[in-house]
Amino acid sequence: MKNIIFHLSLLIIVIITLLSCSSKTTLNKDDIMPPEQGKKPATTQNTNALELKLTTEKETYIVGEPVYVSAYLKNTSKKGINVFRFLEPGEGALELEIIKNDEKRTSFIPLEEADHDKTSKITLKPNQEIGEAFPVFFGGKGWSFPKNGIYKLRATYKTKQAEGIYISTTSNTLIIKVTNERNPQVDHLVSGSKSSYQSGLFMTWLSGDHLTNGKEILNSILKSKQETDLNNYINLAFGKSLSEPFMDYRNKKPREANYKTARSYLDQVDANRLPKYLQIQYHLASAKCNYNNVVKNKEKTLEHLTQIEFIISNDIAYTNLNSRIKEMKARVQ
């Protein structure tokens, strides 16, 4: 019986195969689009109408030190230009290249990619300039400057002008010198391990209760007997993190802000040694620690918010914070 079933199955397969081989498929020429009627690839034109500039607040850093760059885009033409108003890598318009010792070229990969609607486009008037500050010391590939050396940063900005037409401009070359303090804990910090990656995420986000292995590395640097400039940044990261609630999905409910412990870290921070981006984060965290459901020190809180206003008033890279700080001051007053 089994042999009969096997032979019948084999016969059916042979018949199907023969039918499929003998059938002919003909294409209707009306359904085929000629290549010349297809969508043409987008073209990119270099332009002198836009000027892109990269800056940083100092030239020399130690390995593991957070590096923040400000990008400025200016319309140098005599007419308005439609531009993409976000300049941070990952927002869609700016791409950053890092070159080490004039040899290895790598593209900076942001930790996340944003999706925007039509409101992300603005008209940049003649001589008008926009700016934005962002971290570049850590990205999707890990730590950007894990070893001592000379690094060159260069950015390209591209924005759509019409259907299938983009204009592009390239920035100046920003030179950064990185030195190594020969600290074993710091070497571990930038080693490229999973724990190292977590520590980079925590330092970038200034948050992340779930990044336990990365936080252990950062704590080991704070506890080491060897003094390092990184302590200032690490204390800020822990202080900023604890000044806000956090939802760790390993737990059933959010962790509440711990203002007392946050202040113990923030009290060890020298804000004057921080880049502007982190100075703002320091003052925001300090304001929350001084004005919350337990403590309502209006005078101290307003001092920190005023400091932020002073920073952002002198640099267009931070003007997007204006409305937020005004709202915070209004609630406190």
Side-chain angles (χ1 to χ4, degrees):
M1 183 66 178
K2 290 181 179 179
N3 290 335
I4 295 174
I5 294 173
F6 172 77
H7 288 303
L8 284 173
S9 301
L10 183 61
L11 180 61
I12 292 171
I13 293 171
V14 171
I15 292 171
I16 292 173
T17 303
L18 289 174
L19 288 173
S20 62
C21 292
S22 61
S23 61
K24 293 183 179 181
T25 304
T26 57
L27 296 175
N28 188 344
K29 292 183 179 181
D30 293 335
D31 295 333
I32 302 175
M33 178 184 290
E36 60 271 14
Q37 293 183 11
K39 190 174 182 179
K40 295 181 180 180
T43 59
T44 302
Q45 304 169 352
N46 292 327
T47 181
N48 294 323
L50 293 173
E51 179 183 78
L52 179 65
K53 182 174 65 175
L54 298 182
T55 67
T56 191
E57 293 175 44
K58 60 180 185 177
E59 295 181 355
T60 302
Y61 297 81
I62 62 172
V63 169
E65 182 177 358
V67 180
Y68 287 81
V69 166
S70 293
Y72 302 92
L73 184 72
K74 184 177 182 179
N75 180 359
T76 57
S77 73
K78 295 182 179 181
K79 63 178 182 179
I81 301 176
N82 290 329
V83 300
F84 194 81
R85 64 189 178 96
F86 299 107
L87 298 177
E88 183 174 355
E91 297 286 354
L94 187 141
E95 294 182 356
L96 187 68
E97 179 185 54
I98 301 175
I99 307 165
K100 182 186 177 184
N101 296 333
D102 287 328
E103 297 174 0
K104 188 176 181 181
R105 297 171 178 262
T106 59
S107 296
F108 177 77
I109 305 299
L111 291 173
E112 52 193 27
E113 297 283 345
D115 187 20
H116 298 286
D117 55 21
K118 293 180 180 179
T119 61
S120 61
K121 299 279 286 189
I122 61 170
T123 299
L124 199 62
K125 299 176 182 179
N127 292 318
Q128 185 182 358
E129 187 176 30
I130 56 175
E132 191 165 5
F134 47 84
V136 298
F137 65 93
F138 188 84
K141 293 181 179 179
W143 292 87
S144 301
F145 315 108
K147 296 180 180 180
N148 61 315
I150 304 296
Y151 294 82
K152 294 181 179 180
L153 280 64
R154 188 183 298 122
T156 300
Y157 174 88
K158 184 169 69 173
T159 186
K160 186 177 180 180
Q161 288 301 288
E163 188 61 38
I165 299 176
Y166 288 79
I167 58 173
S168 174
T169 185
T170 302
S171 74
N172 59 305
T173 299
L174 187 63
I175 298 176
I176 292 176
K177 182 180 179 181
V178 178
T179 60
N180 194 334
E181 290 190 336
R182 304 296 180 187
N183 185 321
Q185 282 83 11
V186 176
D187 291 340
H188 190 195
L189 176 71
V190 297
S191 65
S193 65
K194 289 184 179 180
S195 299
S196 164
Y197 194 86
Q198 283 191 9
S199 64
L201 290 176
F202 187 81
M203 291 295 286
T204 304
W205 294 336
L206 304 176
S207 179
D209 289 16
H210 60 298
L211 303 170
T212 50
N213 293 334
K215 289 163 64 179
E216 285 181 9
I217 296 178
L218 298 172
N219 267 315
S220 71
I221 295 175
L222 291 179
K223 294 176 181 178
S224 68
K225 294 182 180 180
Q226 184 173 347
E227 288 294 326
T228 172
D229 287 340
L230 290 180
N231 289 23
N232 205 37
Y233 299 94
I234 296 172
N235 280 316
L236 170 64
F238 280 114
K240 180 68 164 63
S241 173
L242 291 168
S243 71
E244 299 175 336
F246 185 85
M247 183 64 211
D248 185 344
Y249 288 97
R250 296 173 300 181
N251 303 321
K252 294 182 179 180
K253 61 179 182 179
R255 185 263 298 157
E256 295 182 354
N258 187 333
Y259 301 115
K260 183 178 179 180
T261 308
R263 288 185 67 172
S264 69
Y265 282 106
L266 295 173
D267 287 344
Q268 301 179 66
V269 175
D270 182 354
N272 294 323
R273 290 165 50 207
L274 297 171
K276 292 178 183 178
Y277 185 102
L278 293 181
Q279 285 184 29
I280 292 171
Q281 302 307 315
Y282 165 79
H283 289 297
L284 282 173
S286 298
K288 291 176 182 177
C289 288
N290 282 283
Y291 198 84
N292 50 69
N293 56 345
V294 178
V295 180
K296 285 184 169 53
N297 188 333
K298 291 186 177 182
E299 183 179 356
K300 198 70 176 175
T301 303
L302 291 173
E303 284 180 11
H304 286 291
L305 296 179
T306 300
Q307 285 294 321
I308 297 176
E309 285 183 325
F310 176 76
I311 295 170
I312 64 181
S313 66
N314 293 314
D315 196 333
I316 60 171
Y318 302 99
T319 52
N320 60 323
L321 289 171
N322 269 322
S323 58
R324 178 184 175 187
I325 301 305
K326 287 181 179 178
E327 289 175 2
M328 291 179 72
K329 289 191 76 171
R331 287 199 297 270
V332 173
Q333 292 170 334

